[in-house]
Amino acid sequence: MRDMKLKKRLDCGPHGFHVAIIPKAPRSIRRRVHPKKTDEDGQVCAFELLASLARQILQEETESSSASSNASGNDHAAIGKDAVEDGRQYEDKPVKTECLDQGSCEVSAVVTESASLNCDQKCLLNEFPLAEDDDILERTLKTTGSNSSGKIGGDLKSEICKSNMLKGNFLSKVEGGSPNYRESCSNSVENAFEQLVETKAKETGGLKMATTRISKEDPTELCMTFPASTDSDKDVNLPSCRDPVPNASFSRHRNDIKLGIRDDNDNLSRFNKFSNKLKVYRPVTRIGDRRIRKLLTSKYWKSAPKLKDFEHPRTDGGMRPSHRKRKTCYNHEKCHRDVLYKRRRFYDRSSVETFDGGFSCESVTNSPEKGRNGDKCISGSILQANGMTSSVKGHQSSLRSKDSNVKFSIKSFKVPEIFIEVSETATVGSLKRTVMNAVTAILGGGIRVGVLMHGKKVRDDNRTLSQTGLASEDNLDTLGFTLDPSSVEAPAPPLVCPEDPPLLLSNAPQLVARSLETPALDSECPNALTDLALLTKTETLVESNHEQAISHTDILTESTLPDSRALVAVPALNVEALAVVPLNQKSRRSDIAQRRTRRPFSVSEVEALVQAVEELGTGRWRDVKLRSFEDADHRTYVDLKDKWKTLVHTARIAPQQRRGEPVPQELLDRVLDAHSYWSQHQAKQQGKHQAAGVLKIEAPTDHPNGATTGNQL
DNA sequence: TTTAGGG
DNA sequence: CCCTAAA
């Protein structure tokens, strides 16, 4: 039985983020926001909702009758398909539909969440409702756009699709300066959209808000805004505003719908306080995302609470040299592993640190927002977890808003690397569960938010952004946020080492160390999983090089692979951008050194080893390997040599002192004998090994060295 | 890449 | 098992 290992980097993206960021909302709202749905259902619903929304808007506009634009959330469902149909009528083409289906919407889908630091309530009010509205609006927009101009719609569509298909494109666009798909799309569409929205907005508060935001700002970008002067702790602190639960729901909602655009400037204004906006950016892969979302969602909730404790867990310290080179083992190794245990090796041996590294994945991107009307929006920096860094560069110029607020947009947080090992025979479902558990374990452990600048953690929570340099354009580029284990001291979740991969639930991937062998396995075992692993690796590498990680690797499912790949490719496109963010590099490196899983030699192996050494001598480990362990992929000649070394040692010590699986004394005796023999003949034997073998076998006692060893023989 | 040894 | 200096 072979075990397959997946090394995966989950990108929580928006999800994770959400959790962290989102403010509390009344339960009622939450519920409302998300009727519970399956992913697919969700999509459908989303679609429907969108359609319905669009429809309503259109109708209203057309008729100039007031509609319940609010429709928001509650009613969407009711409207359902009919709405959609209507929408189509308006539309010259099913563009909308396609987009949705394809998930193209996702591209555009950027969700912004605003939270006011101090105002949970506000958050409650705005956030969720807004979210819904926004989604709706957005959809509406799209729809509207389609209606407005068929051409446009077409273009839009293509754009979107493209985006989905190729992240690269998407990124490029972003980089160009418009993170939003909208931009890429024709402006006309937007305008039309805006108009519609605004019109409607008046009718309903919710819409209005949405409208305003949209019109004023680029929906895509968003983040938190706060005065530069404020203390990083307070202002920046996302956690303060968030409520796990709401987030979860929110994210979910978002996921289903895919659209999320929000600017909450208005909200901010209302509250007079600084509000942080978080925008989650989420490129979606059709399938993968959903699943991931699903999996992750629940977890985030848990984590969310902990997020509140905003702290900088540790400093940049995370750097560790990773020793990977060793994957050298024999590549030809087969995947023979029954159960592999993985362990992650931390160079510093600190689990925490390691963990940390994995966690901190987000990258920050700054994007300039144009505040048409909104001052707040004027400058924005966006943090991206994805690879979208490009936008950062392009926009760096305007990071600072006039009002001295600094805006941060965090597109997503990544989940730390997770190593998963599953039996080849495990079901996909079990794999999913395993991943879920891993993620859960991580999140469940609690996480903290860390702020990185130039790759270093900013530990002083009391300094202001200005003091810290976070208010500076130059630094925003290098700004990053990390999710770190909340309790350094409480490595509870992470430390666990899952021994039995097969046990789906039991595994705690976080801590799991990855065995060095994994690489070998990957290469050797061709299968979806393997590919995945490879993919993941690639991704990792990329990430390591650039901050941008590819955020979404949908590891969970085979089906996701394609997407993942696409994602992976993306980063390359934005090399430049990537370079910009050094943050992750450090953190990344730190994570992955691992030690191979330990695999005690069985008696039979020992016997084989002894046999081989008796014949070949002790200086020819490679030959020993070839002769007796050719098929033991996990045994390298170095391993054999080491084993021999230990055997000799073992043979020399008292039986009571021996540990592990007892080796028959007979073998130990042979070990000593052979060792003595070869020790004496080192030089000579080199040329004679062949003969030696014969001698050995035929007449062990004949060996010259007999004196030393001979007694036994 | 292998060996040989120390860690 | 890991890591390396040497070969």
Side-chain angles (χ1 to χ4, degrees):
Chain A
M1 175 176 215
R2 311 200 268 184
D3 290 328
M4 313 211 40
K5 297 177 181 179
L6 292 181
K7 166 187 162 190
K8 255 187 160 209
R9 184 177 222 94
L10 295 181
D11 189 11
C12 299
H15 306 292
F17 194 62
H18 296 321
V19 174
I21 298 168
I22 299 167
K24 295 178 182 178
R27 294 195 179 231
S28 59
I29 291 172
R30 296 176 209 153
R31 276 183 226 142
R32 188 175 70 184
V33 172
H34 278 297
K36 189 174 191 177
K37 300 173 184 179
T38 59
D39 294 347
E40 292 183 357
D41 290 349
Q43 279 194 338
V44 172
C45 292
F47 183 90
E48 290 180 356
L49 291 175
L50 183 69
S52 66
L53 191 65
R55 168 193 167 195
Q56 288 183 352
I57 293 170
L58 292 174
Q59 287 181 348
E60 288 179 0
E61 243 200 20
T62 301
E63 297 173 1
S64 77
S65 61
S66 65
S68 56
S69 49
N70 283 349
S72 36
N74 299 342
D75 300 344
H76 323 334
I79 296 167
K81 294 180 179 179
D82 293 345
V84 172
E85 301 232 350
D86 291 350
R88 289 190 178 181
Q89 292 175 357
Y90 292 93
E91 296 176 352
D92 50 67
K93 273 294 166 183
V95 171
K96 172 178 75 180
T97 302
E98 279 191 347
C99 292
L100 292 176
D101 289 349
Q102 295 185 355
S104 56
C105 296
E106 293 171 345
V107 172
S108 59
V110 172
V111 174
T112 302
E113 294 179 356
S114 66
S116 62
L117 295 177
N118 297 334
C119 314
D120 289 349
Q121 296 174 348
K122 167 188 173 182
C123 293
L124 293 177
L125 296 177
N126 296 337
E127 277 299 89
F128 291 88
L130 289 176
E132 288 182 354
D133 291 359
D134 290 351
D135 289 346
I136 294 168
L137 290 175
E138 194 170 13
R139 291 174 187 169
T140 301
L141 284 173
K142 289 182 180 179
T143 302
T144 302
S146 299
N147 293 339
S148 300
S149 62
K151 297 175 183 177
I152 294 169
D155 293 350
L156 176 64
K157 172 184 176 182
S158 16
E159 285 283 341
I160 293 169
C161 294
K162 245 189 198 169
S163 297
N164 280 343
M165 303 300 280
L166 306 179
K167 273 193 173 182
N169 292 344
F170 182 63
L171 292 177
S172 300
K173 290 178 181 179
V174 172
E175 187 170 2
S178 67
N180 294 341
Y181 67 94
R182 292 176 72 199
E183 292 207 4
S184 57
C185 298
S186 62
N187 293 336
S188 61
V189 172
E190 285 187 342
N191 293 340
F193 177 87
E194 288 181 358
Q195 290 179 357
L196 290 176
V197 173
E198 291 200 0
T199 301
K200 296 307 174 182
K202 293 178 181 180
E203 295 178 357
T204 59
L207 288 177
K208 182 176 183 179
M209 291 178 64
T211 300
T212 301
R213 293 180 220 136
I214 293 168
S215 62
K216 293 179 180 179
E217 297 181 358
D218 180 347
T220 338
E221 309 227 347
L222 240 206
C223 313
M224 325 184 279
T225 299
F226 39 86
S229 63
T230 57
D231 288 1
S232 58
D233 290 354
K234 297 173 183 178
D235 295 341
V236 176
N237 189 344
L238 298 180
S240 63
C241 300
R242 18 180 123 129
D243 182 340
V245 173
N247 291 337
S249 61
F250 183 86
S251 62
R252 213 169 158 192
H253 178 64
R254 202 187 295 140
N255 291 342
D256 293 350
I257 292 173
K258 294 180 180 182
L259 292 180
I261 294 174
R262 285 189 41 253
D263 288 356
D264 288 347
N265 290 338
D266 295 352
N267 294 339
L268 294 176
S269 300
R270 294 177 186 177
F271 290 83
N272 295 339
K273 289 189 175 184
F274 308 100
S275 62
N276 295 334
K277 289 183 177 183
L278 294 183
K279 173 186 188 171
V280 176
Y281 196 111
R282 139 188 212 215
V284 177
T285 54
R286 299 175 186 173
I287 298 171
D289 272 6
R290 295 182 208 163
R291 299 194 178 180
I292 288 173
R293 296 172 205 162
K294 223 184 195 173
L295 294 176
L296 298 182
T297 303
S298 62
K299 294 328 176 167
Y300 285 98
W301 294 40
K302 287 182 178 180
S303 63
K306 293 189 174 183
L307 291 179
K308 288 181 179 180
D309 308 339
F310 178 30
E311 294 182 5
H312 303 290
R314 45 163 107 172
T315 48
D316 50 356
M319 303 192 58
R320 305 171 206 102
S322 60
H323 316 284
R324 303 177 185 173
K325 42 173 162 188
R326 50 160 46 229
K327 58 159 32 155
T328 57
C329 311
Y330 296 82
N331 292 337
H332 38 301
E333 289 181 355
K334 299 172 183 179
C335 312
H336 287 329
R337 356 23 198 151
D338 293 2
V339 174
L340 296 181
Y341 302 100
K342 305 168 183 177
R343 278 187 299 172
R344 180 176 273 175
R345 175 185 187 175
F346 307 104
Y347 95 112
D348 61 351
R349 306 257 174 193
S350 158
S351 62
V352 172
E353 286 229 354
T354 301
F355 195 10
D356 183 10
F359 244 118
S360 59
C361 309
E362 23 8 321
S363 51
V364 174
T365 307
N366 297 331
S367 63
E369 284 192 11
K370 303 172 178 181
R372 296 172 186 174
N373 296 335
D375 328 29
K376 297 175 181 179
C377 299
I378 293 171
S379 65
S381 64
I382 293 174
L383 301 182
Q384 294 178 336
N386 296 346
M388 319 284 299
T389 318
S390 56
S391 63
V392 174
K393 259 195 175 180
H395 301 293
Q396 294 175 351
S397 58
S398 62
L399 294 178
R400 239 181 146 161
S401 59
K402 295 174 182 178
D403 54 2
S404 76
N405 285 342
V406 180
K407 251 174 147 181
F408 297 89
S409 169
I410 298 172
K411 297 198 172 178
S412 68
F413 278 105
K414 287 184 180 179
V415 170
E417 280 191 308
I418 297 173
F419 295 98
I420 298 169
E421 195 169 330
V422 181
S423 166
E424 203 173 353
T425 59
T427 62
V428 172
S430 68
L431 173 60
K432 291 177 183 178
R433 285 191 294 273
T434 300
V435 173
M436 174 65 159
N437 289 327
V439 173
T440 300
I442 293 170
L443 296 178
I447 49 180
R448 293 177 179 178
V449 173
V451 174
L452 296 173
M453 257 188 59
H454 295 294
K456 290 186 177 181
K457 289 206 174 180
V458 176
R459 295 185 178 183
D460 188 345
D461 292 353
N462 297 319
R463 290 201 296 172
T464 64
L465 294 180
S466 296
Q467 293 174 331
T468 306
L470 290 176
S472 157
E473 295 179 1
D474 296 355
N475 291 330
L476 287 175
D477 296 340
T478 63
L479 175 60
F481 289 94
T482 62
L483 293 182
D484 304 307
S486 62
S487 56
V488 172
E489 41 318 325
L495 299 181
V496 178
C497 298
E499 312 241 327
D500 219 350
L503 299 184
L504 302 178
L505 300 179
S506 64
N507 292 345
Q510 302 170 343
L511 297 186
V512 176
R514 173 187 181 196
S515 67
L516 294 180
E517 297 173 354
T518 301
L521 294 177
D522 293 348
S523 62
E524 292 181 358
C525 308
N527 54 49
L529 294 178
T530 299
D531 290 346
L532 250 176
L534 292 177
L535 235 171
T536 302
K537 283 183 179 179
T538 301
E539 195 182 282
T540 301
L541 293 178
V542 171
E543 289 180 357
S544 59
N545 293 338
H546 315 292
E547 165 96 358
Q548 341 257 302
I550 304 129
S551 53
H552 299 274
T553 302
D554 295 341
I555 312 144
L556 304 181
T557 325
E558 315 77 55
S559 57
T560 52
L561 290 178
D563 291 335
S564 296
R565 294 192 175 208
L567 292 176
V568 171
V570 175
L573 296 178
N574 299 329
V575 173
E576 296 177 2
L578 297 180
V580 174
V581 185
L583 302 180
N584 292 344
Q585 291 185 353
K586 278 189 175 181
S587 56
R588 280 287 144 120
R589 308 180 171 170
S590 37
D591 54 14
I592 320 175
Q594 18 205 350
R595 196 172 181 126
R596 281 195 299 166
T597 55
R598 184 173 182 248
R599 284 150 155 205
F601 277 72
S602 64
V603 173
S604 62
E605 284 180 307
V606 170
E607 183 167 8
L609 176 60
V610 172
Q611 175 70 37
V613 172
E614 286 175 339
E615 298 176 11
L616 300 173
T618 57
R620 303 167 59 211
W621 301 109
R622 179 167 175 280
D623 292 334
V624 171
K625 158 71 180 175
L626 267 36
R627 173 178 293 209
S628 305
F629 295 83
E630 177 89 63
D631 296 333
D633 305 333
H634 56 290
R635 303 297 188 196
T636 66
Y637 46 76
V638 173
D639 292 327
L640 299 176
K641 182 262 298 177
D642 287 342
K643 178 57 181 173
W644 182 261
K645 181 173 64 178
T646 60
L647 279 173
V648 171
H649 178 264
T650 300
R652 290 172 173 167
I653 61 177
Q656 308 83 277
Q657 297 177 52
R658 297 171 189 165
R659 293 183 296 175
E661 186 178 8
V663 176
Q665 185 60 41
E666 180 265 337
L667 285 175
L668 291 176
D669 291 341
R670 288 172 63 189
V671 167
L672 287 177
D673 188 42
H675 185 264
S676 299
Y677 174 81
W678 289 107
S679 293
Q680 292 193 353
H681 297 280
Q682 319 175 305
K684 293 181 175 180
Q685 302 308 322
Q686 295 177 352
K688 306 176 170 185
H689 12 280
Q690 295 176 350
V694 175
L695 286 176
K696 208 229 140 296
I697 295 169
E698 294 176 350
T701 43
D702 290 348
H703 296 303
N705 54 347
T708 306
T709 337
N711 36 0
Q712 296 173 5
L713 296 176

